[in-house]
Amino acid sequence: MALRIIEAGLQTSIQDSGRHGFQSSGFSISGVLDSWAAQLANITVNNRPGEAVLEMSYVGPSITFEADMVIALTGADMAAKIDGRPIALGKPIPVTTGETLQLRTARKGLHCYLSVKGGLNVPSFLGSKSASLKDNLGGDFTGRLRVGDSIPIHTPLKSKPFSWQLSPELFAYINKNEKKIRFLQGRQIDWFSQEAISRFTSTPYKSSPQSNRMGYQLQGLPLTTNKSKDLTTEAAAFGTIQVPPDGQPIVLMAESQPTGGYPKIGQIIQDDLPVLSQAAPGQPILFQTASLAEAQRELVRNKHSLTALRLFTEMKWKEF
Amino acid sequence: MNNLAFFPLSENAIMIDYGEEIRPEINKRIHQLSSAISAKPFPGFIESVPAYTTLTVYYNPLAINSRQPYEQACFYIEKYLPFIQEQSLESRTVHLPVCYDEEFALDLAEVADRNNLSVKEVIKLHTNQEYYVYFIGFAPGFPFLGGLDPSIAAPRRRTPRRKTPAGSVGIAGRQTGVYPLDIPGGWQIIGRTPKRLLNLQNSQPALLQPGDQVRFQAISKQAFLSWEEKSWH
């Protein structure tokens, strides 16, 4: 009753909604980079919210199923095939023992998510199944998954094919070339000149290939601060846009350290974090300001969308 | 206490700023507020992250029944302030044995040279002080310790090490700290403790907690090598 890793891909790991409550002991929250896609993966197979999934980045793995089960893929399109048959995103897929899922390089976006109906049967560490790749911490699978790893699942399931799937529109944000990203004013925004702020909001930035789960290193016109003093280390979070002395911004991602020492020009609103997380190196990112009220309204809107989708799939699974 | 500044770090985090001064007396108030909230969390509270002069409170705005969740959460937090006792928290002193032998003290000679001191004098100055844990950050269980004698301060290494061995005791500017894991880092390493700062089997995995006092005790290489981990607390 397991998923067997046959080819590891570039960066495949177990992630859930993160390890909360231990930042004051220095632990990163970690968890999925694209929470929208990961939640849709769980919704498709009617799992409880926050169930652990596989996060498969850049180049996907090959996985052999060692039980009958129902899986779903969401997020970046990695030209998924099971024993040669192409697989749609956002659709429950019954698989049988011995079949192999093969993923390739992401065509658009970076991260693809795999959920298994009933969830992955792996232990939690400090309340979460998420691997922390930088510290090599987690449950049984602390880092990247490797060839030969066998990830137990909770419940095998035999099923006929499903006739429905989620709308591909739900993944349209991944296919857009130009990424519009809204941000709240950072706590040190007044350390930056008007010129720097207007550069930041009027010229494109691009993610560099050095980006990883800790942070996306951006490249564009440099942002300089007026202050010569150092920032006293304070909290930083997923979405914090900090600017080191070289003026090239870094967006802290899911594996952000709990605290940071660079001035913050902004904080990306949560609704736009999935969009940014899927931005491949070289894609233009355009930053624009947003208000806290707008950001919190988007959270509510998002929750309503996910609830509606969940009601739909729950109903469909009842017919099952 | 009355001039705290609140700032929305994000849709789900409030940073409370206690001013610019880095002092244990002020930092203790941060930990007191943090403990007060954890002891009796407000609706939607997730966790809080203390740093030198700030406390950042994470919350779920969707769990706060208000059209203005940020304002409501600030209001909840302000309600804890009158109940925080002014007397200092009971603080624990943790003794950390450190071997300053050259095998472990990778940068001790350089720190001594830079400050025109002998290696022995640096060790003496490092073990003479009582240090204060301002907060844990940077890496799991990594304490930011204040109280370093300024005469042994040293800037970070130009090139960070790709791997600093677990237990390494380092200096960066006027801070000293201990690496709990083998991780990359740029602090100047002056010794190593055999004591484990992280125990991943514990429900509270970090040995040191914010607000603790720390004393370093020099031990011989022999004592380091024959060190046996006893129970923690």
Side-chain angles (χ1 to χ4, degrees):
Chain A
M1 287 197 343
L3 303 172
R4 171 81 61 182
I5 306 292
I6 302 300
E7 282 177 66
L10 256 186
Q11 180 181 295
T12 305
S13 64
I14 296 174
Q15 298 295 339
D16 58 15
S17 48
R19 186 166 288 115
H20 298 274
F22 293 91
Q23 289 198 87
S24 61
S25 294
F27 290 87
S28 298
I29 294 176
S30 198
V32 294
L33 285 165
D34 180 348
S35 64
W36 175 256
Q39 287 181 88
L40 292 182
N42 277 324
I43 284 174
T44 308
V45 294
N46 203 24
N47 277 351
R48 63 170 189 86
E51 184 56 69
V53 296
L54 295 193
E55 180 174 274
M56 307 173 291
S57 304
Y58 322 120
V59 180
S62 295
I63 296 169
T64 296
F65 303 102
E66 296 188 335
D68 295 352
M69 60 186 94
V70 177
I71 64 158
L73 293 173
T74 59
D77 178 358
M78 290 185 166
K81 285 182 178 170
I82 292 176
D83 288 354
R85 331 189 287 280
I87 296 303
L89 294 176
K91 185 177 166 81
I93 311 286
V95 298
T96 54
T97 306
E99 287 186 319
T100 297
L101 169 71
Q102 200 170 38
L103 298 172
R104 307 256 180 218
T105 304
R107 289 169 171 161
K108 288 275 171 65
L110 299 174
H111 314 286
C112 178
Y113 293 88
L114 173 106
S115 61
V116 176
K117 170 76 182 160
L120 305 176
N121 189 10
V122 297
S124 294
F125 167 62
L126 302 179
S128 166
K129 295 174 180 175
S130 292
S132 174
L133 303 190
K134 85 174 135 71
D135 303 319
N136 212 30
L137 294 172
D140 277 0
F141 301 93
T142 52
R144 290 185 169 100
L145 294 176
R146 286 178 291 211
V147 172
D149 281 346
S150 170
I151 302 133
I153 63 156
H154 271 296
T155 35
L157 182 62
K158 210 172 186 59
S159 165
K160 284 184 289 190
F162 291 74
S163 59
W164 57 272
Q165 72 180 83
L166 299 183
S167 161
E169 272 301 298
L170 294 169
F171 306 109
Y173 66 97
I174 296 171
N175 301 327
K176 283 201 188 112
N177 184 46
E178 202 176 74
K179 308 289 185 189
K180 284 203 178 105
I181 302 292
R182 291 164 292 175
F183 69 97
L184 308 174
Q185 289 199 344
R187 209 164 91 91
Q188 288 80 33
I189 194 157
D190 58 355
W191 288 30
F192 296 86
S193 65
Q194 269 311 317
E195 196 204 339
I197 296 166
S198 91
R199 277 179 173 190
F200 185 60
T201 50
S202 63
T203 62
Y205 285 78
K206 290 170 181 176
S207 174
S208 93
Q210 278 87 50
S211 298
N212 55 34
R213 281 181 44 83
M214 286 174 72
Y216 281 15
Q217 172 79 59
L218 304 185
Q219 294 169 329
L221 294 178
L223 307 171
T224 44
T225 60
N226 296 322
K227 301 242 180 172
S228 52
K229 67 169 187 176
D230 285 341
L231 178 70
T232 301
T233 300
E234 60 179 38
F238 189 1
T240 297
I241 311 163
Q242 59 175 26
V243 183
D246 70 1
Q248 298 294 329
I250 297 169
V251 182
L252 298 177
M253 300 301 282
E255 265 186 56
S256 159
Q257 296 170 179
T259 57
Y262 293 128
K264 303 171 173 72
I265 194 169
Q267 175 73 31
I268 295 174
I269 73 167
Q270 289 180 10
D271 193 38
D272 288 348
L273 288 174
V275 183
L276 182 79
S277 75
Q278 295 282 5
Q283 278 188 296
I285 300 164
L286 292 173
F287 288 100
Q288 55 192 63
T289 54
S291 69
L292 180 62
E294 180 185 354
Q296 289 183 328
R297 271 201 305 277
E298 293 287 46
L299 280 184
V300 174
R301 194 183 50 82
N302 244 311
K303 189 192 170 192
H304 288 160
S305 313
L306 289 171
T307 306
L309 288 164
R310 187 169 282 287
L311 286 173
F312 167 77
T313 56
E314 265 172 19
M315 198 179 70
K316 286 290 179 193
W317 274 88
K318 271 189 194 139
E319 295 167 8
F320 166 74
Chain B
M1 259 332 231
N2 296 324
N3 42 14
L4 305 184
F6 288 65
F7 186 88
L9 171 67
S10 71
E11 297 97 311
N12 68 342
I14 299 171
M15 196 177 286
I16 305 151
D17 190 342
Y18 281 70
E20 295 201 346
E21 255 186 292
I22 302 178
R23 281 199 294 139
E25 303 80 76
I26 294 170
N27 185 259
K28 277 179 184 158
R29 294 192 204 153
I30 291 171
H31 300 303
Q32 285 168 334
L33 177 57
S34 175
S35 316
I37 299 173
S38 307
K40 225 182 152 188
F42 63 85
F45 171 74
I46 299 172
E47 63 182 315
S48 60
V49 179
Y52 283 116
T53 58
T54 54
L55 180 69
T56 301
V57 178
Y58 288 83
Y59 66 102
N60 176 4
L62 299 173
I64 292 185
N65 192 13
S66 164
R67 283 180 163 276
Q68 295 181 301
Y70 170 70
E71 287 76 7
Q72 183 63 39
C74 289
F75 174 73
Y76 282 140
I77 294 166
E78 278 171 344
K79 286 208 293 190
Y80 292 92
L81 298 173
F83 299 101
I84 292 170
Q85 294 129 9
E86 281 295 327
Q87 78 258 29
S88 65
L89 276 177
E90 206 181 304
S91 78
R92 204 170 56 131
T93 301
V94 179
H95 294 264
L96 290 181
V98 178
C99 177
Y100 294 90
D101 187 273
E102 58 186 15
E103 184 184 338
F104 308 125
L106 309 171
D107 306 308
L108 179 56
E110 198 186 318
V111 171
D113 267 2
R114 180 178 282 279
N115 289 299
N116 295 314
L117 296 167
S118 69
V119 161
K120 271 200 175 137
E121 285 167 319
V122 174
I123 297 171
K124 192 170 170 218
L125 289 166
H126 195 250
T127 48
N128 262 354
Q129 288 305 106
E130 185 155 85
Y131 299 94
Y132 173 77
V133 180
Y134 276 99
F135 65 100
I136 309 288
F138 169 55
F142 190 105
F144 279 77
L145 299 173
L148 187 73
D149 190 312
S151 56
I152 58 170
R156 286 179 169 78
R157 288 169 55 84
R158 276 254 191 87
T159 322
R161 285 195 171 81
R162 290 172 65 104
K163 188 172 125 180
T164 305
S168 291
V169 177
I171 289 177
R174 288 192 56 182
Q175 309 171 107
T176 183
V178 187
Y179 284 80
L181 296 163
D182 290 345
I183 45 172
W187 293 37
Q188 307 262 16
I189 303 307
I190 61 162
R192 197 180 299 172
T193 178
K195 205 166 166 71
R196 277 166 66 186
L197 269 77
L198 265 184
N199 189 336
L200 301 178
Q201 271 68 55
N202 282 17
S203 58
Q204 176 45 265
L207 168 67
L208 295 171
Q209 292 299 309
D212 284 348
Q213 307 279 346
V214 172
R215 287 203 84 105
F216 295 110
Q217 288 168 320
I219 58 167
S220 66
K221 195 170 170 184
Q222 184 58 39
F224 180 95
L225 296 172
S226 58
W227 176 266
E228 278 175 40
E229 196 69 48
K230 297 187 198 80
S231 77
W232 269 41
H233 299 294

